Amino acid sequence: MDFKKIPEGYSEGIYKVKKYGITKKTFNHGKSFKLFAEELGGSDFISLNNYKTKQKELLKPCEMSEAKVVDFINKVKLLEPKG
């Protein structure tokens, strides 16, 4: 999984032929972040927190399976910002 491909702040991407608004916010000097993506014009969403410890990274999905989060991160195609 490459979380680095998703920029800080707001971006948009395509996942399973649907457009998503994606917000990523980093905390603790880059040691944790929150990601929330919602289907624009639909009801699907992706929500997770990620924490870096000295030993490993911890992925904590919110109200969904880890498999759904991993699939989204691996398959979302980011769109170029407008303007």
Side-chain angles (χ1 to χ4, degrees):
M1 263 182 314
D2 184 9
F3 291 114
K4 294 176 188 168
K5 75 177 185 180
I6 299 175
E8 181 78 8
Y10 181 82
S11 58
E12 293 181 344
I14 303 294
Y15 173 68
K16 294 188 176 180
V17 196
K18 297 176 182 175
K19 191 173 184 180
Y20 284 74
I22 307 164
T23 303
K24 180 180 175 185
K25 183 160 179 146
T26 304
F27 302 94
N28 302 318
H29 307 287
K31 293 180 182 172
S32 64
F33 68 85
K34 175 184 276 190
L35 188 137
F36 183 78
E38 63 182 326
E39 179 187 351
L40 301 177
S43 61
D44 191 33
F45 69 95
I46 306 295
S47 182
L48 67 98
N49 292 297
N50 193 74
Y51 306 96
K52 293 179 187 176
T53 69
K54 291 180 182 179
Q55 292 80 27
K56 61 183 175 179
E57 282 193 44
L58 300 171
L59 176 64
K60 298 291 186 177
C62 303
E63 301 178 18
M64 64 194 54
S65 71
E66 186 172 315
K68 181 177 180 178
V69 169
V70 169
D71 192 60
F72 179 84
I73 297 300
N74 286 336
K75 295 180 181 175
V76 67
K77 302 293 182 205
L78 295 177
L79 300 174
E80 292 294 322
K82 295 178 183 174

